[in-house]
Amino acid sequence: MRSELVVDVQPDEISIALLEDGRLMSLQKEARNQKFAVGNIYYGRVKKLMPGLNAAFVDIASEKDAFLHYLDLGSQFSSFKSFIQTATDDPQKVPQLSKFKLLPDIDKNGSVNGTLTVGQHIVVQVSKEPISTKGPRLTTELTFTGRFMVLIPFSNKISISQKIKSTEEKMRLRQLIESIKPKNFGVIIRTSAENKRVAELNNEMNTLLRCWEETIEKLQKTTPPALLHEEDSRAVGIIRDIFSPSFENIYVNDAETYSQIYNYVSLIAPERIEAVKLYAKDEPIFDTFNITKQIKSSFGKAVSFKSGAYIIIEHTEALHVIDVNSGNRNKNADSQEGNALDVNIRAADEIARQLRLRDMGGIIVIDFIDMNSAEHRQKLYDHMREVMANDRARHNILPLSKFGLMQITRQRVRAALDIETMESCPSCYGKGLVQPSILFTDVLHEKIDYVVNTLGIHEFSLYVHPYVFAYIKQGFFSSIYKKWRGEFGKKFKLVQNQALAFLEYKFLDKNRNEIDVKESKDVGNSSNEKKASKSKRAAEKED
């Protein structure tokens, strides 16, 4: 299977698409100014105790106070609290955790009232991003994630990924890590550490230890709320988690992000550095790899798959509901039962992809087409488990109930990705009336004139729908495009973009920042502005 990563960096957000044999399997979007990402470590202040929930709300400068449950304090919270107190009492000296004497574990059945106090300063890590109306969820069991291992302060336990099957390799890794890790640090050995040399593991161990030391140093110089440690950029973080030798290409359309990814891959897999490629074409990167079209067809309420069958996906606050329908599918199977099994098997493939693609978490209830055969029901259950095996998120699948429903729980770390595939009218701006389509090129001509002669911008790109692009470019010698370049200069480019609606357009300057070309007449405010102008002139006369 050919795996490729396509990174689309825009001024306001970054989108990362994972392709397997050209098919979109995972899509993640994140604002470039995203705060409170999973893994970030903050120095916060306890704002409120909730004995009924056995939890506390912590101020880390988020819009909604972050939530910290008693069980998320961790068994070694007493040692953690004492160490932080030692560090803040003497800012001139960084205490060494390896020489620190750990205290007894806290009572797992204890209460938050007896452990925390309002106003107390506390170091926490984000374990879940803000979702819906909820603030971030926190933990005090800090972890520092690397390519081959996860470092856990205030622990001495070594855990090994269950995906490493060889008993000899497990013993080798355990002995190796035991020999290089400092005291009072636990380690989770990741699958990617399999067959790695001691030098590679030791280098990463030192890097993670340095992250811990820098976090404590920053803690000693700041007051809450403050960010102490920030996770790698989203693109680098995903590559860290999913990179493998089968990963053939990584395409990036931004020089800075390309440099970050290039440097990271050169450290973890220098033999695969040629896979990282800078995309420099004018055409949107997602259009080039057919991702835009797949997004339009894969998101939304109804999703079709082979032979006319489709699924309906509905979201609620507590769960996701998926309904499987055979639609107008031709019944090629010998019986209705066989046809139902065939549709359900194909639906299971698409549902497994949709869960990864939309990052749907929590409870998922699937209403498959009813089947009477116990053998067929078991076959569907086994198939769903098989196709979900590649899902990196923790999940649990229950067999079909007597009502034909399958229940799945899937780890939810961030809000499910929901992309609106219906296109709003770009011509009327919500007024409900559209200008004549035949005059659209006149509108574009007017906007180009506004950008060049009013805003004084000569080097820019005009993005339009592919059909409009073809119309403007038709004719070798007498195309509309050539006339425009003759009138306004040859520094502007016309680029097609599949993500745009039919009569939608977008101007970007040479730095890829969008140019605002909306004028008062576009939104019907010209009369109001005239009235305001008249009132202003009248006031000036009175003065």
Side-chain angles (χ1 to χ4, degrees), residues 327-372:
N328 58 357
R329 179 180 184 276
N330 295 324
K331 298 182 178 180
N332 297 321
D334 296 334
S335 64
Q336 181 178 351
E337 181 79 8
N339 182 68
L341 175 63
D342 189 35
V343 172
N344 286 340
I345 291 292
R346 294 176 183 269
D349 294 334
E350 182 61 29
I351 289 169
R353 171 176 173 257
Q354 287 289 330
L355 295 184
R356 291 177 60 188
L357 188 59
R358 304 188 187 209
D359 204 7
M360 293 161 60
I363 301 174
I364 299 103
V365 178
I366 308 169
D367 183 11
F368 284 103
I369 298 174
D370 290 340
M371 297 183 296
N372 296 321

mmCIF file of all heavy atoms in Angstrom, residues 327-372:
data_model
loop_
_atom_site.group_PDB
_atom_site.id
_atom_site.type_symbol
_atom_site.label_atom_id
_atom_site.label_comp_id
_atom_site.label_asym_id
_atom_site.label_seq_id
_atom_site.Cartn_x
_atom_site.Cartn_y
_atom_site.Cartn_z
ATOM 1 N N GLY A 327 -30.126 1.443 -0.961
ATOM 2 C CA GLY A 327 -30.416 2.378 -2.046
ATOM 3 C C GLY A 327 -30.966 1.668 -3.263
ATOM 4 O O GLY A 327 -31.755 0.725 -3.163
ATOM 5 N N ASN A 328 -30.509 2.106 -4.439
ATOM 6 C CA ASN A 328 -30.980 1.491 -5.694
ATOM 7 C C ASN A 328 -29.991 0.452 -6.203
ATOM 8 O O ASN A 328 -29.884 0.189 -7.387
ATOM 9 C CB ASN A 328 -31.189 2.560 -6.768
ATOM 10 C CG ASN A 328 -29.917 3.349 -7.047
ATOM 11 O OD1 ASN A 328 -28.896 3.129 -6.394
ATOM 12 N ND2 ASN A 328 -29.976 4.258 -8.005
ATOM 13 N N ARG A 329 -29.271 -0.153 -5.278
ATOM 14 C CA ARG A 329 -28.230 -1.118 -5.627
ATOM 15 C C ARG A 329 -28.834 -2.321 -6.341
ATOM 16 O O ARG A 329 -29.874 -2.856 -5.961
ATOM 17 C CB ARG A 329 -27.516 -1.583 -4.361
ATOM 18 C CG ARG A 329 -26.417 -2.611 -4.587
ATOM 19 C CD ARG A 329 -25.778 -2.985 -3.248
ATOM 20 N NE ARG A 329 -24.672 -3.902 -3.432
ATOM 21 C CZ ARG A 329 -24.813 -5.212 -3.553
ATOM 22 N NH1 ARG A 329 -26.017 -5.743 -3.509
ATOM 23 N NH2 ARG A 329 -23.748 -5.987 -3.703
ATOM 24 N N ASN A 330 -28.151 -2.757 -7.413
ATOM 25 C CA ASN A 330 -28.574 -3.962 -8.113
ATOM 26 C C ASN A 330 -28.274 -5.185 -7.262
ATOM 27 O O ASN A 330 -27.174 -5.354 -6.755
ATOM 28 C CB ASN A 330 -27.828 -4.089 -9.451
ATOM 29 C CG ASN A 330 -28.199 -2.978 -10.400
ATOM 30 O OD1 ASN A 330 -29.346 -2.541 -10.424
ATOM 31 N ND2 ASN A 330 -27.222 -2.513 -11.191
ATOM 32 N N LYS A 331 -29.258 -6.040 -7.101
ATOM 33 C CA LYS A 331 -29.089 -7.200 -6.230
ATOM 34 C C LYS A 331 -28.434 -8.335 -7.007
ATOM 35 O O LYS A 331 -29.079 -9.092 -7.710
ATOM 36 C CB LYS A 331 -30.455 -7.635 -5.673
ATOM 37 C CG LYS A 331 -31.108 -6.556 -4.815
ATOM 38 C CD LYS A 331 -32.431 -7.026 -4.232
ATOM 39 C CE LYS A 331 -33.051 -5.952 -3.349
ATOM 40 N NZ LYS A 331 -34.331 -6.371 -2.766
ATOM 41 N N ASN A 332 -27.116 -8.420 -6.856
ATOM 42 C CA ASN A 332 -26.374 -9.455 -7.570
ATOM 43 C C ASN A 332 -26.274 -10.752 -6.778
ATOM 44 O O ASN A 332 -25.917 -11.781 -7.310
ATOM 45 C CB ASN A 332 -24.953 -8.947 -7.865
ATOM 46 C CG ASN A 332 -24.989 -7.726 -8.776
ATOM 47 O OD1 ASN A 332 -25.789 -7.663 -9.693
ATOM 48 N ND2 ASN A 332 -24.114 -6.748 -8.508
ATOM 49 N N ALA A 333 -26.556 -10.667 -5.479
ATOM 50 C CA ALA A 333 -26.452 -11.865 -4.644
ATOM 51 C C ALA A 333 -27.611 -12.813 -4.935
ATOM 52 O O ALA A 333 -28.628 -12.454 -5.526
ATOM 53 C CB ALA A 333 -26.436 -11.475 -3.175
ATOM 54 N N ASP A 334 -27.438 -14.073 -4.503
ATOM 55 C CA ASP A 334 -28.450 -15.094 -4.789
ATOM 56 C C ASP A 334 -29.727 -14.881 -4.002
ATOM 57 O O ASP A 334 -30.792 -15.328 -4.407
ATOM 58 C CB ASP A 334 -27.876 -16.490 -4.478
ATOM 59 C CG ASP A 334 -26.698 -16.828 -5.377
ATOM 60 O OD1 ASP A 334 -26.650 -16.276 -6.497
ATOM 61 O OD2 ASP A 334 -25.835 -17.619 -4.953
ATOM 62 N N SER A 335 -29.663 -14.232 -2.860
ATOM 63 C CA SER A 335 -30.842 -14.076 -2.005
ATOM 64 C C SER A 335 -30.803 -12.714 -1.328
ATOM 65 O O SER A 335 -29.797 -11.999 -1.368
ATOM 66 C CB SER A 335 -30.865 -15.185 -0.948
ATOM 67 O OG SER A 335 -29.739 -15.066 -0.085
ATOM 68 N N GLN A 336 -31.911 -12.369 -0.696
ATOM 69 C CA GLN A 336 -31.974 -11.114 0.049
ATOM 70 C C GLN A 336 -30.968 -11.113 1.199
ATOM 71 O O GLN A 336 -30.334 -10.107 1.482
ATOM 72 C CB GLN A 336 -33.390 -10.904 0.589
ATOM 73 C CG GLN A 336 -33.555 -9.605 1.358
ATOM 74 C CD GLN A 336 -34.980 -9.404 1.845
ATOM 75 O OE1 GLN A 336 -35.874 -10.149 1.476
ATOM 76 N NE2 GLN A 336 -35.166 -8.399 2.683
ATOM 77 N N GLU A 337 -30.815 -12.266 1.845
ATOM 78 C CA GLU A 337 -29.854 -12.373 2.952
ATOM 79 C C GLU A 337 -28.429 -12.148 2.462
ATOM 80 O O GLU A 337 -27.641 -11.432 3.080
ATOM 81 C CB GLU A 337 -29.981 -13.759 3.594
ATOM 82 C CG GLU A 337 -29.053 -13.993 4.790
ATOM 83 C CD GLU A 337 -29.558 -13.350 6.065
ATOM 84 O OE1 GLU A 337 -30.703 -12.856 6.057
ATOM 85 O OE2 GLU A 337 -28.807 -13.339 7.056
ATOM 86 N N GLY A 338 -28.085 -12.738 1.332
ATOM 87 C CA GLY A 338 -26.754 -12.554 0.770
ATOM 88 C C GLY A 338 -26.521 -11.125 0.324
ATOM 89 O O GLY A 338 -25.417 -10.581 0.470
ATOM 90 N N ASN A 339 -27.572 -10.514 -0.215
ATOM 91 C CA ASN A 339 -27.467 -9.115 -0.636
ATOM 92 C C ASN A 339 -27.239 -8.202 0.575
ATOM 93 O O ASN A 339 -26.429 -7.264 0.528
ATOM 94 C CB ASN A 339 -28.738 -8.702 -1.372
ATOM 95 C CG ASN A 339 -28.658 -7.269 -1.875
ATOM 96 O OD1 ASN A 339 -27.891 -6.955 -2.771
ATOM 97 N ND2 ASN A 339 -29.470 -6.399 -1.282
ATOM 98 N N ALA A 340 -27.940 -8.475 1.673
ATOM 99 C CA ALA A 340 -27.791 -7.677 2.892
ATOM 100 C C ALA A 340 -26.374 -7.801 3.440
ATOM 101 O O ALA A 340 -25.759 -6.808 3.860
ATOM 102 C CB ALA A 340 -28.805 -8.124 3.939
ATOM 103 N N LEU A 341 -25.831 -9.024 3.422
ATOM 104 C CA LEU A 341 -24.465 -9.225 3.906
ATOM 105 C C LEU A 341 -23.465 -8.463 3.044
ATOM 106 O O LEU A 341 -22.545 -7.816 3.570
ATOM 107 C CB LEU A 341 -24.125 -10.720 3.905
ATOM 108 C CG LEU A 341 -22.672 -11.068 4.273
ATOM 109 C CD1 LEU A 341 -22.353 -10.634 5.695
ATOM 110 C CD2 LEU A 341 -22.415 -12.567 4.089
ATOM 111 N N ASP A 342 -23.663 -8.519 1.728
ATOM 112 C CA ASP A 342 -22.748 -7.841 0.814
ATOM 113 C C ASP A 342 -22.740 -6.333 1.062
ATOM 114 O O ASP A 342 -21.678 -5.697 1.128
ATOM 115 C CB ASP A 342 -23.150 -8.146 -0.630
ATOM 116 C CG ASP A 342 -22.117 -7.661 -1.629
ATOM 117 O OD1 ASP A 342 -20.913 -7.712 -1.300
ATOM 118 O OD2 ASP A 342 -22.500 -7.215 -2.722
ATOM 119 N N VAL A 343 -23.943 -5.752 1.203
ATOM 120 C CA VAL A 343 -24.038 -4.312 1.460
ATOM 121 C C VAL A 343 -23.417 -3.965 2.811
ATOM 122 O O VAL A 343 -22.682 -2.978 2.943
ATOM 123 C CB VAL A 343 -25.505 -3.846 1.418
ATOM 124 C CG1 VAL A 343 -25.628 -2.390 1.878
ATOM 125 C CG2 VAL A 343 -26.075 -3.985 0.020
ATOM 126 N N ASN A 344 -23.683 -4.758 3.817
ATOM 127 C CA ASN A 344 -23.146 -4.494 5.159
ATOM 128 C C ASN A 344 -21.629 -4.570 5.201
ATOM 129 O O ASN A 344 -20.974 -3.768 5.888
ATOM 130 C CB ASN A 344 -23.747 -5.480 6.169
ATOM 131 C CG ASN A 344 -25.191 -5.172 6.510
ATOM 132 O OD1 ASN A 344 -25.652 -4.045 6.311
ATOM 133 N ND2 ASN A 344 -25.912 -6.149 7.021
ATOM 134 N N ILE A 345 -21.061 -5.543 4.478
ATOM 135 C CA ILE A 345 -19.595 -5.668 4.439
ATOM 136 C C ILE A 345 -18.971 -4.432 3.793
ATOM 137 O O ILE A 345 -17.986 -3.864 4.294
ATOM 138 C CB ILE A 345 -19.176 -6.939 3.669
ATOM 139 C CG1 ILE A 345 -19.561 -8.205 4.460
ATOM 140 C CG2 ILE A 345 -17.678 -6.919 3.368
ATOM 141 C CD1 ILE A 345 -18.773 -8.401 5.738
ATOM 142 N N ARG A 346 -19.564 -3.990 2.678
ATOM 143 C CA ARG A 346 -19.054 -2.784 2.007
ATOM 144 C C ARG A 346 -19.257 -1.547 2.882
ATOM 145 O O ARG A 346 -18.421 -0.646 2.923
ATOM 146 C CB ARG A 346 -19.747 -2.602 0.657
ATOM 147 C CG ARG A 346 -19.422 -3.690 -0.360
ATOM 148 C CD ARG A 346 -20.224 -3.501 -1.646
ATOM 149 N NE ARG A 346 -19.962 -4.564 -2.589
ATOM 150 C CZ ARG A 346 -19.017 -4.541 -3.528
ATOM 151 N NH1 ARG A 346 -18.196 -3.496 -3.589
ATOM 152 N NH2 ARG A 346 -18.856 -5.532 -4.363
ATOM 153 N N ALA A 347 -20.382 -1.506 3.598
ATOM 154 C CA ALA A 347 -20.653 -0.376 4.491
ATOM 155 C C ALA A 347 -19.644 -0.343 5.630
ATOM 156 O O ALA A 347 -19.201 0.731 6.044
ATOM 157 C CB ALA A 347 -22.069 -0.465 5.037
ATOM 158 N N ALA A 348 -19.265 -1.512 6.144
ATOM 159 C CA ALA A 348 -18.280 -1.571 7.232
ATOM 160 C C ALA A 348 -16.948 -0.970 6.781
ATOM 161 O O ALA A 348 -16.290 -0.249 7.542
ATOM 162 C CB ALA A 348 -18.092 -3.022 7.685
ATOM 163 N N ASP A 349 -16.547 -1.257 5.533
ATOM 164 C CA ASP A 349 -15.309 -0.674 5.005
ATOM 165 C C ASP A 349 -15.387 0.848 5.004
ATOM 166 O O ASP A 349 -14.451 1.532 5.421
ATOM 167 C CB ASP A 349 -15.049 -1.175 3.578
ATOM 168 C CG ASP A 349 -14.757 -2.665 3.529
ATOM 169 O OD1 ASP A 349 -14.283 -3.199 4.550
ATOM 170 O OD2 ASP A 349 -14.985 -3.287 2.474
ATOM 171 N N GLU A 350 -16.512 1.387 4.517
ATOM 172 C CA GLU A 350 -16.658 2.837 4.428
ATOM 173 C C GLU A 350 -16.787 3.471 5.810
ATOM 174 O O GLU A 350 -16.257 4.557 6.063
ATOM 175 C CB GLU A 350 -17.879 3.190 3.574
ATOM 176 C CG GLU A 350 -18.108 4.681 3.380
ATOM 177 C CD GLU A 350 -16.948 5.372 2.682
ATOM 178 O OE1 GLU A 350 -16.249 4.720 1.873
ATOM 179 O OE2 GLU A 350 -16.733 6.572 2.954
ATOM 180 N N ILE A 351 -17.480 2.797 6.725
ATOM 181 C CA ILE A 351 -17.645 3.343 8.076
ATOM 182 C C ILE A 351 -16.303 3.417 8.795
ATOM 183 O O ILE A 351 -15.992 4.406 9.475
ATOM 184 C CB ILE A 351 -18.653 2.492 8.877
ATOM 185 C CG1 ILE A 351 -20.072 2.706 8.322
ATOM 186 C CG2 ILE A 351 -18.612 2.842 10.362
ATOM 187 C CD1 ILE A 351 -21.093 1.729 8.857
ATOM 188 N N ALA A 352 -15.473 2.388 8.665
ATOM 189 C CA ALA A 352 -14.142 2.407 9.278
ATOM 190 C C ALA A 352 -13.329 3.582 8.737
ATOM 191 O O ALA A 352 -12.610 4.254 9.478
ATOM 192 C CB ALA A 352 -13.422 1.084 9.009
ATOM 193 N N ARG A 353 -13.466 3.837 7.436
ATOM 194 C CA ARG A 353 -12.758 4.980 6.840
ATOM 195 C C ARG A 353 -13.326 6.293 7.358
ATOM 196 O O ARG A 353 -12.580 7.228 7.660
ATOM 197 C CB ARG A 353 -12.889 4.906 5.317
ATOM 198 C CG ARG A 353 -12.387 6.148 4.584
ATOM 199 C CD ARG A 353 -12.459 5.953 3.082
ATOM 200 N NE ARG A 353 -12.142 7.171 2.373
ATOM 201 C CZ ARG A 353 -13.027 7.968 1.795
ATOM 202 N NH1 ARG A 353 -14.328 7.683 1.867
ATOM 203 N NH2 ARG A 353 -12.655 9.053 1.154
ATOM 204 N N GLN A 354 -14.648 6.393 7.478
ATOM 205 C CA GLN A 354 -15.276 7.629 7.936
ATOM 206 C C GLN A 354 -14.894 7.958 9.384
ATOM 207 O O GLN A 354 -14.711 9.128 9.733
ATOM 208 C CB GLN A 354 -16.802 7.530 7.809
ATOM 209 C CG GLN A 354 -17.318 7.607 6.383
ATOM 210 C CD GLN A 354 -17.174 8.986 5.783
ATOM 211 O OE1 GLN A 354 -17.212 9.992 6.471
ATOM 212 N NE2 GLN A 354 -16.990 9.038 4.472
ATOM 213 N N LEU A 355 -14.764 6.946 10.221
ATOM 214 C CA LEU A 355 -14.392 7.193 11.615
ATOM 215 C C LEU A 355 -13.001 7.820 11.698
ATOM 216 O O LEU A 355 -12.766 8.735 12.493
ATOM 217 C CB LEU A 355 -14.431 5.882 12.421
ATOM 218 C CG LEU A 355 -15.797 5.218 12.579
ATOM 219 C CD1 LEU A 355 -15.682 3.995 13.481
ATOM 220 C CD2 LEU A 355 -16.828 6.179 13.130
ATOM 221 N N ARG A 356 -12.078 7.316 10.876
ATOM 222 C CA ARG A 356 -10.738 7.890 10.846
ATOM 223 C C ARG A 356 -10.746 9.263 10.186
ATOM 224 O O ARG A 356 -10.094 10.189 10.654
ATOM 225 C CB ARG A 356 -9.791 6.962 10.072
ATOM 226 C CG ARG A 356 -9.484 5.647 10.761
ATOM 227 C CD ARG A 356 -8.603 4.763 9.887
ATOM 228 N NE ARG A 356 -7.328 5.410 9.584
ATOM 229 C CZ ARG A 356 -6.443 4.924 8.709
ATOM 230 N NH1 ARG A 356 -6.718 3.792 8.050
ATOM 231 N NH2 ARG A 356 -5.303 5.545 8.487
ATOM 232 N N LEU A 357 -11.486 9.360 9.079
ATOM 233 C CA LEU A 357 -11.491 10.598 8.297
ATOM 234 C C LEU A 357 -12.049 11.769 9.097
ATOM 235 O O LEU A 357 -11.486 12.860 9.121
ATOM 236 C CB LEU A 357 -12.304 10.383 7.025
ATOM 237 C CG LEU A 357 -12.281 11.478 5.968
ATOM 238 C CD1 LEU A 357 -10.867 11.726 5.491
ATOM 239 C CD2 LEU A 357 -13.181 11.107 4.796
ATOM 240 N N ARG A 358 -13.159 11.540 9.784
ATOM 241 C CA ARG A 358 -13.812 12.609 10.549
ATOM 242 C C ARG A 358 -13.329 12.668 11.993
ATOM 243 O O ARG A 358 -13.732 13.558 12.741
ATOM 244 C CB ARG A 358 -15.334 12.399 10.535
ATOM 245 C CG ARG A 358 -15.931 12.319 9.135
ATOM 246 C CD ARG A 358 -17.432 12.320 9.186
ATOM 247 N NE ARG A 358 -18.021 12.069 7.871
ATOM 248 C CZ ARG A 358 -19.207 12.521 7.467
ATOM 249 N NH1 ARG A 358 -19.931 13.260 8.289
ATOM 250 N NH2 ARG A 358 -19.672 12.246 6.272
ATOM 251 N N ASP A 359 -12.501 11.696 12.382
ATOM 252 C CA ASP A 359 -12.006 11.607 13.760
ATOM 253 C C ASP A 359 -13.173 11.593 14.739
ATOM 254 O O ASP A 359 -13.183 12.303 15.743
ATOM 255 C CB ASP A 359 -11.064 12.761 14.075
ATOM 256 C CG ASP A 359 -10.106 12.416 15.217
ATOM 257 O OD1 ASP A 359 -10.110 11.251 15.647
ATOM 258 O OD2 ASP A 359 -9.387 13.305 15.687
ATOM 259 N N MET A 360 -14.159 10.754 14.437
ATOM 260 C CA MET A 360 -15.347 10.641 15.274
ATOM 261 C C MET A 360 -15.016 9.838 16.526
ATOM 262 O O MET A 360 -14.419 8.769 16.450
ATOM 263 C CB MET A 360 -16.490 9.970 14.492
ATOM 264 C CG MET A 360 -17.000 10.812 13.337
ATOM 265 S SD MET A 360 -17.934 9.866 12.102
ATOM 266 C CE MET A 360 -19.270 9.217 13.105
ATOM 267 N N GLY A 361 -15.387 10.368 17.690
ATOM 268 C CA GLY A 361 -15.091 9.700 18.949
ATOM 269 C C GLY A 361 -16.309 9.605 19.831
ATOM 270 O O GLY A 361 -17.366 10.158 19.531
ATOM 271 N N GLY A 362 -16.168 8.903 20.949
ATOM 272 C CA GLY A 362 -17.291 8.702 21.851
ATOM 273 C C GLY A 362 -18.032 7.427 21.483
ATOM 274 O O GLY A 362 -17.424 6.397 21.151
ATOM 275 N N ILE A 363 -19.345 7.496 21.485
ATOM 276 C CA ILE A 363 -20.184 6.328 21.186
ATOM 277 C C ILE A 363 -20.692 6.423 19.753
ATOM 278 O O ILE A 363 -21.237 7.451 19.348
ATOM 279 C CB ILE A 363 -21.374 6.234 22.162
ATOM 280 C CG1 ILE A 363 -20.866 6.130 23.600
ATOM 281 C CG2 ILE A 363 -22.260 5.043 21.816
ATOM 282 C CD1 ILE A 363 -21.971 6.173 24.644
ATOM 283 N N ILE A 364 -20.505 5.358 18.984
ATOM 284 C CA ILE A 364 -21.017 5.290 17.611
ATOM 285 C C ILE A 364 -21.985 4.112 17.534
ATOM 286 O O ILE A 364 -21.627 2.983 17.893
ATOM 287 C CB ILE A 364 -19.884 5.102 16.581
ATOM 288 C CG1 ILE A 364 -18.903 6.284 16.643
ATOM 289 C CG2 ILE A 364 -20.443 4.986 15.182
ATOM 290 C CD1 ILE A 364 -17.621 5.992 17.353
ATOM 291 N N VAL A 365 -23.208 4.366 17.097
ATOM 292 C CA VAL A 365 -24.222 3.316 16.944
ATOM 293 C C VAL A 365 -24.509 3.144 15.460
ATOM 294 O O VAL A 365 -24.846 4.117 14.766
ATOM 295 C CB VAL A 365 -25.511 3.660 17.701
ATOM 296 C CG1 VAL A 365 -26.560 2.572 17.479
ATOM 297 C CG2 VAL A 365 -25.239 3.832 19.192
ATOM 298 N N ILE A 366 -24.383 1.915 14.950
ATOM 299 C CA ILE A 366 -24.563 1.637 13.524
ATOM 300 C C ILE A 366 -25.770 0.725 13.332
ATOM 301 O O ILE A 366 -25.843 -0.352 13.938
ATOM 302 C CB ILE A 366 -23.307 0.970 12.928
ATOM 303 C CG1 ILE A 366 -22.058 1.795 13.252
ATOM 304 C CG2 ILE A 366 -23.456 0.799 11.419
ATOM 305 C CD1 ILE A 366 -20.762 1.077 12.924
ATOM 306 N N ASP A 367 -26.695 1.156 12.494
ATOM 307 C CA ASP A 367 -27.882 0.365 12.162
ATOM 308 C C ASP A 367 -27.647 -0.300 10.815
ATOM 309 O O ASP A 367 -27.886 0.292 9.760
ATOM 310 C CB ASP A 367 -29.116 1.267 12.122
ATOM 311 C CG ASP A 367 -30.403 0.480 11.841
ATOM 312 O OD1 ASP A 367 -30.348 -0.771 11.891
ATOM 313 O OD2 ASP A 367 -31.439 1.109 11.558
ATOM 314 N N PHE A 368 -27.143 -1.535 10.848
ATOM 315 C CA PHE A 368 -26.913 -2.287 9.614
ATOM 316 C C PHE A 368 -28.232 -2.851 9.096
ATOM 317 O O PHE A 368 -29.247 -2.898 9.817
ATOM 318 C CB PHE A 368 -25.933 -3.432 9.858
ATOM 319 C CG PHE A 368 -24.495 -2.994 9.977
ATOM 320 C CD1 PHE A 368 -23.871 -2.922 11.216
ATOM 321 C CD2 PHE A 368 -23.766 -2.659 8.846
ATOM 322 C CE1 PHE A 368 -22.546 -2.528 11.333
ATOM 323 C CE2 PHE A 368 -22.437 -2.259 8.951
ATOM 324 C CZ PHE A 368 -21.825 -2.190 10.191
ATOM 325 N N ILE A 369 -28.213 -3.298 7.852
ATOM 326 C CA ILE A 369 -29.377 -3.964 7.281
ATOM 327 C C ILE A 369 -29.565 -5.293 8.003
ATOM 328 O O ILE A 369 -28.603 -6.036 8.239
ATOM 329 C CB ILE A 369 -29.187 -4.183 5.771
ATOM 330 C CG1 ILE A 369 -29.059 -2.821 5.068
ATOM 331 C CG2 ILE A 369 -30.349 -4.970 5.179
ATOM 332 C CD1 ILE A 369 -28.734 -2.916 3.596
ATOM 333 N N ASP A 370 -30.805 -5.586 8.382
ATOM 334 C CA ASP A 370 -31.091 -6.780 9.178
ATOM 335 C C ASP A 370 -30.659 -8.059 8.467
ATOM 336 O O ASP A 370 -30.873 -8.226 7.258
ATOM 337 C CB ASP A 370 -32.589 -6.869 9.484
ATOM 338 C CG ASP A 370 -33.028 -5.784 10.462
ATOM 339 O OD1 ASP A 370 -32.146 -5.245 11.158
ATOM 340 O OD2 ASP A 370 -34.228 -5.466 10.503
ATOM 341 N N MET A 371 -30.057 -8.971 9.242
ATOM 342 C CA MET A 371 -29.670 -10.290 8.738
ATOM 343 C C MET A 371 -30.139 -11.346 9.740
ATOM 344 O O MET A 371 -29.950 -11.184 10.943
ATOM 345 C CB MET A 371 -28.150 -10.376 8.557
ATOM 346 C CG MET A 371 -27.581 -9.418 7.530
ATOM 347 S SD MET A 371 -25.794 -9.617 7.303
ATOM 348 C CE MET A 371 -25.204 -9.149 8.924
ATOM 349 N N ASN A 372 -30.740 -12.413 9.230
ATOM 350 C CA ASN A 372 -31.268 -13.466 10.109
ATOM 351 C C ASN A 372 -30.214 -14.509 10.454
ATOM 352 O O ASN A 372 -30.284 -15.142 11.500
ATOM 353 C CB ASN A 372 -32.471 -14.148 9.445
ATOM 354 C CG ASN A 372 -33.642 -13.192 9.259
ATOM 355 O OD1 ASN A 372 -33.906 -12.365 10.133
ATOM 356 N ND2 ASN A 372 -34.331 -13.296 8.127
#
